[in-house]
Amino acid sequence: MKRNKLIILLSAGMLFISSCGKEFLQKLPQGQLSEPQVGNKEGVEAALIGAYSILNGNVSGTWGNYASAPSQWIFGELASDNAHKGSELTDQTPMNMIESYNTISTNDNLSTMWQVYYEGVLRCNNTLKLLAADQEGPQEITPERATEIQGEARMLRAHYYFFLWRVFRNLPVITEAMTTEEAKTTPNDQDITPLIEEDLKFAIDALPESKINGEAGRMDKNAARAYLGKLYLYQNKHAEALPLFKQVMAGKDLVSMPFWNNFDVTTENGDEVVMVSKHAINSNGSADNANVGDMLSGLYGSSPVGCCGFYQPTIDLVNAYQVDANGLPYLDKSYRDDPYLSDLENPTGSYSLDVSIRFDPRLDYTVGRRGVSYLDYGIMPGNAWIRDANYAGPFVGIKTMIPQSQFATNAAPGENYITGLDVNIIRLADVWLMAAECEVELGNLAGALKLVNDVRNRAAKLAPKKTASGANAAAYSVKPYPSFANQEQARTAVRFERRLELALEGHRFFDLVRWGIAKETIESYSAFEGEYLSSYKGLTFSAGAEYWPIPQVEIDRSDGALTQK
């Protein structure tokens, strides 16, 4: 399951190459642009599409792109209290290190993440260089379109750098103005965030309000505004972030937007999309442009998918969806006092689903559990769809899967675990909750209450999932908060809501880190989860575990330019 390594000369894969299409992988890297590339409108647009193509975390082929998935499930979810690697202990063992916070610099997930997203930076820089050559020469591209292309390329570069920054923190800052030799010898001793901020501000000014040519997946002003707000949020600049989020939310009604449209391959271009990685099965059956990063999350065994059994929700996440008699979550984590364990409750005897448990309905649109309907696959049977429940638990994910009815057009032939389902990098509910977080930190509890309750009121509209008999699979309930008593309660409620709404979408670990609560959360979770799944007992989160080491292979290639911090 290991991807072919990119042919690279620089430590970060930073080469100015002759093409960004698929054929570029069959060409030797070059240190300068060839004459036919200069002043070619078609070449600039093709280079830009090549820069966009890295959004799905894939350069070539299908297998091996898991660490660079746009969902960021390995770094954003396995490293948190939301998900287990799944499968079995001996499969993809480098992922075990990430989940247990003892990753070493030779872990291949690190090099995949680094190489793919620096390839994205490379393609953005190459696009900007080609564009500059056109504008200085024949000017085949109009000034208006040139500004848009700059905005798109710099927005994409900001995204690729942001993803790298969250994982590695200490990065070499490589721009289009640098020569190949300068790029090779650039140390990772600068702060990348000023460049990210500068690129996003430029994109806000340069991009149109709506998608260019109406093409879904293109960058626009709202994507750039939301992303700059997100960067500010990570820097605790709440006053700067909130106006940007408000611009994105203006005139929109989240409550009226169906939650499941975000995860339905037939409705994925909906109103909630802010920034997305577009995926498709090519007409010839090729899956290079598909959702290859999430392919391991397919169901195992006798399921309609048949592979691969990774990315299983934790027991703790499932129980976090329990609600009290007022339809509100247990913010104090008292849901752990009497947890729901599905098959683990009576693994050798008969099983009967307890439909009396009060659950937020988002649970069964996020997690597959025994005895509950699952897409159009029928009733989830339990262990028959799980690779090793004793290792990673009795639950499976849903948000990365597509119905059987879509296999013929939106799955790779013979590989139903590789799909054309898009992955939202930013969606409106995320923006709503980031804005709510800003309101809390700025002291506007009423504003935060309104935003959180919008998300909850939308969740209340979800149809109940059913059992084999047609009964509701739980005593579903989700109600708005009547008020927030104080800032601390509001802060806890907003953070809890992010977990419930955005579970298994790649945000959780990064949220815990930026809130400064990763250690206490992970170690408390480990004490609970380890009572039922021994592999997760006794996890410790040491200083420095918030970020991962620079890949050793990149340090070696840099001839001393890169250093481990």
Side-chain angles (χ1 to χ4, degrees):
M1 294 184 180
K2 293 183 178 180
R3 65 185 296 278
N4 293 327
K5 301 299 182 184
L6 297 177
I7 301 173
I8 60 176
L9 177 61
L10 308 180
S11 63
M14 298 302 302
L15 293 173
F16 299 119
I17 55 175
S18 62
S19 174
C20 287
K22 292 181 182 178
E23 70 277 7
F24 116 82
L25 291 174
Q26 282 74 54
K27 294 184 178 182
L28 292 176
Q30 298 182 144
Q32 61 183 13
L33 300 173
S34 62
E35 194 65 31
Q37 291 176 286
V38 179
N40 186 320
K41 176 181 177 181
E42 184 179 354
V44 173
E45 294 285 3
L48 178 61
I49 294 303
Y52 267 101
S53 73
I54 298 298
L55 281 172
N56 85 330
N58 181 28
V59 174
S60 176
T62 54
W63 294 94
N65 302 277
Y66 331 119
S68 55
S71 65
Q72 286 289 273
W73 65 277
I74 289 181
F75 298 107
E77 299 291 348
L78 294 196
S80 79
D81 50 352
N82 274 359
H84 297 309
K85 181 202 74 176
S87 181
E88 53 197 17
L89 179 64
T90 56
D91 195 357
Q92 289 288 323
T93 53
M95 293 183 189
N96 300 346
M97 298 180 186
I98 291 174
E99 192 172 1
S100 59
Y101 314 105
N102 60 1
T103 310
I104 57 177
S105 62
T106 55
N107 190 302
D108 65 352
N109 293 287
L110 304 182
S111 55
T112 295
M113 177 69 190
W114 183 282
Q115 291 173 10
V116 169
Y117 283 103
Y118 262 113
E119 171 69 16
V121 170
L122 166 131
R123 295 187 183 195
C124 294
N125 287 342
N126 193 39
T127 301
L128 293 169
K129 285 177 69 72
L130 289 170
L131 178 63
D134 170 82
Q135 295 299 283
E136 292 170 2
Q139 294 186 334
E140 290 185 12
I141 300 170
T142 66
E144 293 77 15
R145 178 59 189 141
T147 298
E148 288 179 345
I149 291 172
Q150 281 185 286
E152 290 178 271
R154 293 184 67 171
M155 171 79 196
L156 289 167
R157 182 171 69 181
H159 166 64
Y160 299 142
Y161 268 138
F162 182 83
F163 262 31
L164 288 162
W165 174 72
R166 289 195 308 184
V167 172
F168 299 109
R169 212 54 164 193
N170 301 299
L171 305 171
V173 180
I174 311 295
T175 70
E176 75 279 11
M178 301 174 71
T179 67
T180 302
E181 190 60 33
E182 288 172 333
K184 285 176 63 176
T185 57
T186 298
N188 57 328
D189 59 356
Q190 301 178 61
D191 181 4
I192 194 71
T193 57
L195 176 60
I196 298 174
E197 180 178 2
E198 180 184 339
D199 278 351
L200 291 172
K201 285 181 174 179
F202 183 93
I204 290 172
D205 291 337
L207 293 172
E209 290 286 352
S210 56
K211 305 297 182 187
I212 297 168
N213 299 325
E215 293 176 347
R218 287 273 190 177
M219 299 298 111
D220 60 18
K221 283 189 187 297
N222 271 341
R225 289 166 180 149
Y227 222 124
L228 181 57
K230 185 172 186 174
L231 175 67
Y232 287 152
L233 192 66
Y234 272 66
Q235 298 171 317
N236 293 317
K237 297 178 179 178
H238 302 101
E240 292 89 340
L242 184 57
L244 293 161
F245 295 142
K246 286 184 174 180
Q247 284 182 287
V248 177
M249 296 187 296
K252 299 178 177 66
D253 178 15
L254 180 69
V255 181
S256 69
M257 300 177 188
F259 172 86
W260 189 248
N261 279 7
N262 295 292
F263 314 101
D264 183 339
V265 72
T266 68
T267 59
E268 56 193 3
N269 291 323
D271 293 337
E272 193 169 344
V273 175
V274 177
M275 181 175 174
V276 65
S277 175
K278 297 294 297 177
H279 297 140
I281 304 298
N282 296 348
S283 58
N284 64 358
S286 167
D288 281 25
N289 295 317
N291 185 5
V292 295
D294 291 342
M295 62 190 288
L296 293 187
S297 63
L299 309 176
Y300 200 66
S302 63
S303 74
V305 177
C307 184
C308 295
F310 286 70
Y311 198 19
Q312 292 180 240
T314 64
I315 297 170
D316 189 68
L317 174 63
V318 169
N319 281 277
Y321 285 94
Q322 288 197 53
V323 298
D324 63 19
N326 297 312
L328 297 173
Y330 292 98
L331 301 182
D332 62 355
K333 295 186 174 60
S334 58
Y335 60 77
R336 293 174 177 172
D337 295 343
D338 183 22
Y340 160 72
L341 301 172
S342 190
D343 277 3
L344 294 184
E345 292 175 312
N346 188 14
T348 59
S350 60
Y351 176 81
S352 177
L353 178 68
D354 184 352
V355 300
S356 69
I357 302 176
R358 292 188 300 265
F359 275 127
D360 182 321
R362 284 173 292 186
L363 167 65
D364 290 320
Y365 287 82
T366 303
V367 175
R369 55 193 184 101
R370 185 176 180 183
V372 182
S373 59
Y374 187 104
L375 300 180
D376 61 354
Y377 298 8
I379 300 298
M380 197 282 201
N383 289 356
W385 287 4
I386 295 173
R387 202 157 179 175
D388 184 355
N390 290 325
Y391 168 57
F395 305 111
V396 295
I398 295 178
K399 287 181 175 179
T400 62
M401 307 301 293
I402 66 171
Q404 295 182 80
S405 61
Q406 292 296 315
F407 285 173
T409 54
N410 282 298
E415 298 176 310
N416 295 327
Y417 44 90
I418 307 178
T419 76
L421 182 64
D422 293 347
V423 169
N424 280 312
I425 295 168
I426 302 177
R427 61 183 177 93
L428 272 178
D430 183 11
V431 176
W432 242 252
L433 292 170
M434 288 192 290
E437 187 174 332
C438 291
E439 296 283 22
V440 169
E441 300 307 326
L442 295 172
N444 183 9
L445 302 192
L449 181 71
K450 165 66 168 58
L451 293 168
V452 169
N453 282 343
D454 282 348
V455 176
R456 295 185 64 76
N457 287 332
R458 195 261 293 266
K461 299 168 72 172
L462 284 167
K465 293 288 186 171
K466 302 294 184 178
T467 67
S469 68
N472 288 353
Y476 294 115
S477 179
V478 55
K479 300 289 179 60
Y481 288 95
S483 64
F484 289 145
N486 51 53
Q487 188 181 43
E488 186 56 37
Q489 187 206 11
R491 182 179 293 119
T492 303
V494 170
R495 291 176 177 182
F496 208 99
E497 201 65 28
R498 280 190 66 81
R499 188 183 191 192
L500 300 177
E501 174 71 16
L502 302 171
L504 307 183
E505 296 181 46
H507 302 278
R508 179 63 174 172
F509 178 76
F510 303 117
D511 281 346
L512 296 177
V513 169
R514 67 185 179 84
W515 292 330
I517 61 172
K519 179 178 176 64
E520 63 189 80
T521 301
I522 294 302
E523 293 183 355
S524 171
Y525 145 77
S526 172
F528 166 76
E529 195 87 3
E531 290 298 312
Y532 308 101
L533 300 173
S534 60
S535 296
Y536 309 102
K537 191 174 183 65
L539 297 179
T540 57
F541 194 90
S542 304
E546 296 88 353
Y547 310 106
W548 282 270
I550 305 299
Q552 187 61 45
V553 65
E554 305 302 335
I555 293 176
D556 294 343
R557 286 172 176 146
S558 76
D559 294 329
L562 300 181
T563 57
Q564 207 70 262
K565 304 298 182 182

